[in-house]
C-alpha cells in the first residue's frame, strides 16, 4: 500500500511518516505542493491513498486536490488542516477531498481514517489473493501454501518480501519490469542499489521453494519477472 504524504511541518511530517511506515505502508513524503504534483503528474496510479496538508508552499493542498480531480483521478485524499470552520470543511469536500482531519489529531485517528478510506475506495483490492496453491491475506498479512490435501503451511516473510509477493499476485501471468517493482516497493527518495530487485526476488524464491513453490516466479531476461498462475 503506497501513500503520498504532503506536509511541510517537519516535526509533524516525520511523526506521520514514521507511523505509516510502522504500519507497513510505503510512503513518499513531499514538503510542498509543487513537489507533490511532480510525484502525481508522473503517475498517480502508483498511489493507493494521499494525505494533503491544506496550507503548503507552492501549490496549496486545495489547489493540489483541484488539479488532481481536474485530471479525473479518483485517488482517495485525506485533507489535514488547522481550519475548523464549517465553510472550510465544505470547501475541501467540494474540491474533491474524501475526508477531513483537523489538527491537532492523534495518530490512531489518522490510521483509522485511512483504513476507512481504503474500505470505501473504488480502488480497493480483495482481502485475499490466491495464485495456484498460494493464498495471501492482505488483512492479517499472512501467506499460506496449500497442499493437495487442503492443509496449509504459513510462510514467514519479511515486510518487503510480503509486499513483493502481493504485487506479483495482483498481476499474475503479467510481465513486470524491474523498474516497475522498484517504483512500487521503494520510496521515491530511497537510495537503492542497482540489483536490489534481483536480490529481493531471489530471497522470496527461496522461501517459496522451501514449501514446494518452485518456479512460480520466472525471470523474463532483459525485462523483468512474471508470476505463473
Amino acid at each position: 500500500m503506497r501513500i503520498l504524504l504532503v506536509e511541510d511541518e517537519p516535526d509533524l511530517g516525520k511523526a506521520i511518516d514514521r507511523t505509516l511506515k510502522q504500519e507497513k505502508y510505503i510512503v513518499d513524503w513531499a514538503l510542498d505542493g509543487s513537489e507533490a504534483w511532480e510525484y502525481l503528474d508522473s503517475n498517480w496510479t502508483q498511489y493507493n491513498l494521499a494525505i494533503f496538508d491544506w496550507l503548503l508552499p507552492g501549490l496549496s493542498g486545495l489547489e493540489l486536490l483541484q488539479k488532481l480531480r481536474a485530471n479525473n483521478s479518483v485517488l482517495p485524499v485525506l485533507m489535514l488542516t488547522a481550519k475548523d470552520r464549517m465553510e472550510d470543511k465544505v470547501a475541501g469536500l467540494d474540491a474533491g477531498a474524501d475526508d477531513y482531519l483537523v489538527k491537532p489529531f492523534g495518530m490512531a485517528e489518522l490510521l483509522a481514517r485511512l483504513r476507512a478510506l481504503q474500505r470505501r475506495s473504488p480502488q480497493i483490492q480483495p482481502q485475499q489473493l490466491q495464485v495456484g496453491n498460494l493464498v495471501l491475506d492482505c488483512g492479517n498479512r499472512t501467506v499460506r501454501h496449500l497442499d493437495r490435501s487442503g492443509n496449509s503451511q504459513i510462510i514467514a516473510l519479511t515486510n518487503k518480501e510480503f509486499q513483493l509477493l502481493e504485487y506479483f499476485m495482483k498481476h499474475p501471468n503479467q510481465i513486470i519490469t524491474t523498474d516497475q517493482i522498484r517504483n512500487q516497493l521503494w520510496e521515491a527518495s530511497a537510495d537503492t542499489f542497482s540489483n536490489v530487485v534481483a536480490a529481493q526476488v531471489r530471497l522470496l524464491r527461496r522461501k517459496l521453494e522451501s514449501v514446494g513453490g518452485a518456479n512460480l516466479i520466472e525471470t523474463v531476461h532483459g525485462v523483468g519477472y512474471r508470476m505463473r498462475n
Side-chain angles (χ1 to χ4, degrees):
M1 185 70 67
R2 194 183 194 96
I3 292 181
L4 176 62
L5 169 64
V6 194
E7 173 56 66
D8 66 319
E9 297 179 32
D11 290 342
L12 179 57
K14 287 178 184 177
I16 296 174
D17 181 62
R18 181 173 59 250
T19 298
L20 294 177
K21 287 178 178 175
Q22 287 172 347
E23 294 296 313
K24 313 305 182 186
Y25 290 104
I26 300 170
V27 184
D28 290 330
W29 176 18
L31 290 166
D32 62 65
S34 299
E35 180 187 4
W37 184 248
E38 290 179 8
Y39 282 117
L40 292 168
D41 195 30
S42 59
N43 185 11
W44 56 68
T45 60
Q46 68 183 311
Y47 296 106
N48 304 99
L49 296 167
I51 303 171
F52 294 169
D53 187 20
W54 187 301
L55 297 176
L56 293 167
L59 295 171
S60 71
L62 193 64
E63 292 170 327
L64 195 58
L65 180 59
Q66 290 169 336
K67 283 174 68 72
L68 192 63
R69 297 301 184 235
N71 283 273
N72 300 314
S73 170
V74 295
L75 177 68
V77 176
L78 172 65
M79 292 288 289
L80 306 180
T81 181
K83 297 174 178 285
D84 58 359
R85 297 186 310 160
M86 180 58 68
E87 306 92 282
D88 295 319
K89 293 181 181 181
V90 170
L93 294 171
D94 281 347
D98 297 275
D99 202 356
Y100 197 101
L101 191 54
V102 177
K103 299 177 182 179
F105 53 83
M107 292 300 164
E109 182 179 8
L110 173 68
L111 293 174
R113 297 291 185 103
L114 293 177
R115 289 193 295 270
L117 284 181
Q118 289 174 234
R119 290 192 296 269
R120 299 200 304 264
S121 169
Q123 300 172 330
I124 195 69
Q125 298 290 335
Q127 281 299 296
Q128 282 198 344
L129 302 169
Q130 182 165 1
V131 175
N133 292 332
L134 285 181
V135 178
L136 182 146
D137 191 308
C138 304
N140 61 27
R141 301 187 68 78
T142 59
V143 178
R144 295 177 292 124
H145 181 265
L146 306 177
D147 64 21
R148 293 181 179 178
S149 302
N151 299 317
S152 64
Q153 179 179 351
I154 296 291
I155 307 173
L157 300 179
T158 66
N159 181 51
K160 195 60 71 177
E161 289 165 353
F162 183 92
Q163 291 172 345
L164 178 58
L165 181 59
E166 182 182 19
Y167 190 41
F168 278 130
M169 291 180 70
K170 286 179 177 177
H171 304 86
N173 299 315
Q174 296 181 29
I175 296 176
I176 301 174
T177 69
T178 299
D179 284 344
Q180 285 175 316
I181 295 172
R182 184 183 290 108
N183 292 338
Q184 182 68 26
L185 268 65
W186 281 269
E187 290 82 9
S189 59
D191 185 16
T192 57
F193 51 93
S194 60
N195 65 336
V196 63
V197 172
Q200 201 66 62
V201 170
R202 185 166 58 251
L203 292 172
L204 176 59
R205 276 175 170 159
R206 287 177 185 171
K207 292 190 176 180
L208 296 180
E209 289 168 0
S210 70
V211 296
N215 303 318
L216 279 174
I217 301 172
E218 64 179 6
T219 299
V220 181
H221 292 289
V223 182
Y225 304 90
R226 175 169 48 206
M227 186 169 197
R228 297 167 61 186
N229 194 342

